[in-house]
Amino acid sequence: MPKLTGAVKDVFEKTAIYPVATASKDGVPNVVPIHFVKIYDEETILLVDNFMNKSLKNMQENPQLAISVWDMKTNQAYQIKGQATIVTSGKPFEEAVAWVKTGMPDVNPKSAILMKVTHIYNSQPGPDLGKEL
C-alpha cells in the first residue's frame, strides 16, 4: 500500500482546495472542490461531508475516488486514488466535526469519509507524468 510521505505529503499540505472525483455505479463522473480534506495517517485521507449530495451517493454506490493535489510554485502534482468508507459516528467523525466547527461553527458535518489510499501517481509535467509512485 502506498504511503503519504515525503514530497506527496508536502504538496498535499500546501493544497487549499481539493478536487475530489467520484463516479456513479454506471460510471458517470462527478468532481467537486472540497476544503476539509487532510491526511489522517500515512495510508488514509480524511474528507468531511458538509454539503455532499452526488458525491456521497456515488461513494455509496461505488467507493472508488480520486483526489488531485498540486503546488503551483514547484509544479509538483499528484493524483491519489483510494477506496472510501463513510463514517457517521466514532473517533474519525468526532474529529471531523471538531475540525469543521473551528472554522465554520454553524456547519454540521453529515459524515467523515476515510479514503484508504490504493495508488499515487505523478501528475507533474515531464517524463514521469502518469507514473505510479
Side-chain angles (χ1 to χ4, degrees):
M1 190 115 0
K3 304 263 190 223
L4 296 162
T5 59
V8 176
K9 185 176 180 180
D10 291 342
V11 172
F12 196 100
E13 291 172 351
K14 291 177 183 173
T15 303
I17 301 295
Y18 301 82
V20 176
T22 60
S24 70
K25 66 181 175 188
D26 300 323
V28 177
N30 184 60
V31 65
V32 294
I34 299 179
H35 173 67
F36 287 99
V37 177
K38 68 179 177 179
I39 294 174
Y40 193 69
D41 62 39
E42 289 184 345
E43 298 176 347
T44 312
I45 295 171
L46 171 68
L47 301 89
V48 184
D49 168 17
N50 292 315
F51 308 110
M52 291 182 189
N53 290 311
K54 283 188 278 185
S55 296
L56 186 64
K57 183 174 187 279
N58 285 351
M59 284 184 270
Q60 290 167 337
E61 296 177 353
N62 173 6
Q64 302 301 313
L65 62 147
I67 298 174
S68 183
V69 297
W70 64 92
D71 180 348
M72 297 285 284
K73 292 180 183 175
T74 65
N75 283 332
Q76 288 186 297
Y78 301 95
Q79 180 190 71
I80 304 166
K81 293 185 179 184
Q83 185 156 343
T85 300
I86 301 164
V87 180
T88 57
S89 64
K91 183 180 176 190
F93 178 68
E94 291 168 8
E95 290 173 354
V97 170
W99 180 31
V100 170
K101 292 289 187 183
T102 62
M104 300 174 70
D106 295 335
V107 174
N108 295 309
K110 299 184 287 184
S111 63
I113 313 298
L114 293 175
M115 176 183 150
K116 188 59 74 176
V117 176
T118 57
H119 303 281
I120 302 173
Y121 297 95
N122 185 328
S123 293
Q124 57 206 31
D128 292 332
L129 179 66
K131 186 176 186 178
E132 188 168 7
L133 304 184

